[in-house]
Amino acid sequence: MLAPKMFPRRNARILTGIGFLTIAGLMLYKAVPSVDGTKNPSAVHVSHSKSSRSDGDLLTQSPQHLRKQKEYESQIMANIHKMTAQKAKERRMNRDPMGVILQKKTIFDGMGRVRDVKEPSRPVQKSVVLDNQLKHKIVHLDLKGAPPKVEYFKKLFPLLHSFGATGLLIEYEDMFPYWGRLEFLSAHNAYAKGDIADILEMAKKNDLIIIPLIQTFGHMEHVLKLKEFAELREVPNYPQVICPTNNKTLPLVKQMIDQMLQLHPGIDWLHIGSDEVYNLGECTRCQKFLLNHQFGKSDLFLQHVKSVAKYVKENYDVQPIMWDDEFRKVPLKAMQDSKVGDVLEIMVWKYSSGIMVDLRSDIWEKYSSVFNGIWMASAFKGAANPDSYITNINDRLGNHKEWMEIYEMYKGTIPFRGIVMTGWQRFDHFGVLCELLPQAIPSLAVNLMFINERKADHSALVRVGDTLKCSSFINLDLQYLEYANKCDFPGSAFFEVSQKLYILKRDINSMMKNPHVTGWVSDYNIEHNFVSPQHAEQGFQDLTMLLYDYGKVMNEAETALSDVFDEHTVKEWIELNVKPTYTKLQKLHTSVSKLQKVKYWSRRPLDSAETKEL
């Protein structure tokens, strides 16, 4: 079903534009000189119907002129039809929240009342998979600080397989059950060893390979934040980067790898992280090392990552993968001399637009001359703002479109292994929750289908909606979100709640920007009990309703989240994304209610300590 109110307005604008172009085009033609050099006599009068124009009128113009006029009119109409078709295509692909899934018809009962009857669901159309496909389409599960319940994975993995996913890149961070000397690296709500075994078994049943991710250089906050390992920090006050020249660093990293691989037997790849290695070579020990060995910082970086990768490959016969960003600034000769390509594969990531600008051809040439395996990394969620709670699918789709352009451009010369669709849950260990997994399942489905078919048109989105059992269109762009989608997939209740919250926050923001509020019920007015009752009533006429709806959504969010996450994640998400606004609404409602009872007001100045009676 089309979005209510939205499409009629848009269609009206298109039709209005078409009418204007038609009339303007014809009038422009009729205003030009005729073939004999005289001004066209019909320029003064434009006929609107065939019946209003007699044969006598037609004969006032030469046959040659009439033929040219008809040709020009035909050209105008052809251009209009072409423009309309192009606009419709652009609307489907780029702007409109398409994906019409609703299979309902409106009928009337015997009393004349409207009732909706759902038609029998049509068979789900099969995806048309291109022959020239990436072998691996890996979904990234970012688990740090917010582990989904194992029972949720049991429902999710079959769905991921049906979307066309071939594997999982699991970033455990502090959710991995380290033991012995390393047990302090695990959060109190980390998975148990048995949970890891269950996850691996479920993945195997659904033909999903597992690639664990373990940080070994940058983003080691979950390790370096602890007192026990603080001495390994590159910069004492910053627990992000581990010092590569400290004699205790490699033994710790190797022990972490040992435990990770012990619980993941039989895997082919291990991701060793190493992105965003800030503050490299800044400690006194590293500075001395660089001076003694006549090294640059790039050499220090290469030495550490090669040592880690070599350990993995030689001791476990597992292929290490690394993020690429630090390699972008390393000279080609240094990479070739280090022979880092003999032990590493690289994962090239870019989550925003402008991939071809930021990842120029010289970067790809450098990588292809060094590494035998190259992966692409996009993002289906968690790549907008660090505190975002809802995914804008259209932005994510744009990212995947650009990546597929890169793939088509370089597939003949670059050894692409596959693509990893990252889904970040926190920007780093200290970051707040962002865009939790369940609300981004539709984004994942849309983008996996695009990777498989290279299209996200109406029919493709219909298939996505059928798979997710949605009863209304899948909204691709939040700016067009008018009501929450109702679907039935693992975690769909939270998907619906996230949309409701977005709509409510938008409505609250509109209320607070109302001129009646900004001009007469500001914080200053409220503080000094100097508020116009009439403006307060007009500006906050929806306040009570919004407060009620917001409280209802808060309860729904708690229930929906509890189906997927533990109590700690539920509490954190509510306190971050719902409670602050709810508290402000409650306080505002109380203040406005009191202010509307005021019958008399002070003389200015309002900040005067003296109160004078009239």
Side-chain angles (χ1 to χ4, degrees), residues 149-196:
K149 295 177 180 179
V150 175
E151 292 79 8
Y152 178 70
F153 290 139
K154 188 175 183 180
K155 303 172 185 176
L156 179 65
F157 288 179
L159 189 64
L160 299 184
H161 175 72
S162 72
F163 291 160
T166 63
L168 304 169
L169 175 66
I170 304 182
E171 184 167 356
Y172 294 100
E173 211 213 37
D174 59 348
M175 291 300 110
F176 185 77
Y178 291 102
W179 63 91
R181 174 175 174 259
L182 304 183
E183 65 176 324
F184 298 108
L185 304 185
S186 303
H188 293 295
N189 58 337
Y191 292 120
K193 290 182 181 179
D195 294 331
I196 304 299

Side-chain angles (χ1 to χ4, degrees), residues 93 98-101 125-128 445-446 449-450 453-467 474:
M93 291 296 291
M98 294 293 289
V100 182
I101 315 303
Q125 302 177 39
K126 293 183 178 179
S127 298
V128 180
V446 167
M449 177 163 286
F450 180 79
E453 302 184 21
R454 305 295 194 276
K455 62 181 182 180
D457 58 9
H458 178 77
S459 62
L461 295 174
V462 166
R463 291 195 299 276
V464 171
D466 285 336
T467 303
I474 297 175

Side-chain angles (χ1 to χ4, degrees), residues 148-249:
K149 295 177 180 179
V150 175
E151 292 79 8
Y152 178 70
F153 290 139
K154 188 175 183 180
K155 303 172 185 176
L156 179 65
F157 288 179
L159 189 64
L160 299 184
H161 175 72
S162 72
F163 291 160
T166 63
L168 304 169
L169 175 66
I170 304 182
E171 184 167 356
Y172 294 100
E173 211 213 37
D174 59 348
M175 291 300 110
F176 185 77
Y178 291 102
W179 63 91
R181 174 175 174 259
L182 304 183
E183 65 176 324
F184 298 108
L185 304 185
S186 303
H188 293 295
N189 58 337
Y191 292 120
K193 290 182 181 179
D195 294 331
I196 304 299
D198 290 341
I199 292 172
L200 298 183
E201 181 62 26
M202 286 184 283
K204 184 178 180 180
K205 287 182 179 179
N206 290 282
D207 296 322
L208 300 171
I209 66 169
I210 296 290
I211 303 176
L213 188 154
I214 181 172
Q215 293 290 358
T216 60
F217 207 165
H219 282 305
M220 293 196 68
E221 295 95 341
H222 69 295
V223 177
L224 300 178
K225 71 177 183 181
L226 302 171
K227 183 179 180 180
E228 293 85 347
F229 303 104
E231 63 176 313
L232 301 182
R233 299 172 186 172
E234 178 67 18
V235 178
N237 292 335
Y238 301 157
Q240 281 86 3
V241 178
I242 198 165
C243 174
T245 60
N246 191 305
N247 291 332
K248 298 180 180 179
T249 291

Side-chain angles (χ1 to χ4, degrees), residues 529-547:
N529 294 317
F530 200 75
V531 171
S532 166
Q534 184 178 11
H535 285 288
E537 288 177 5
Q538 290 177 302
F540 290 118
Q541 57 184 321
D542 296 328
L543 177 58
T544 300
M545 180 190 68
L546 289 172
L547 179 60

Side-chain angles (χ1 to χ4, degrees), residues 136 138 209 211 268-274 301 305-306 308-310 312-313 318-325 327 335 339-348 367 370-376 415-420:
H136 296 290
I138 310 296
I209 66 169
I211 303 176
D268 295 319
W269 286 280
L270 174 70
H271 200 303
I272 58 173
S274 303
F301 171 79
V305 298
K306 184 181 178 183
V308 175
K310 188 176 180 181
V312 172
K313 194 160 189 174
V318 171
Q319 177 60 56
I321 308 172
M322 244 189 69
W323 297 117
D324 85 295
D325 53 298
F327 284 111
M335 293 169 65
K339 299 188 182 301
V340 68
D342 293 344
V343 291
L344 265 177
E345 290 185 0
I346 198 169
M347 189 169 287
V348 187
Y367 287 170
V370 174
F371 300 102
N372 295 319
I374 298 177
W375 299 73
M376 297 175 287
F416 286 120
R417 291 279 193 227
I419 186 168
V420 169

Side-chain angles (χ1 to χ4, degrees), residues 76-89:
I76 289 175
M77 294 307 298
N79 289 338
I80 289 171
H81 291 313
K82 182 178 179 181
M83 178 190 70
T84 305
Q86 181 64 26
K87 288 293 183 183
K89 181 178 179 181

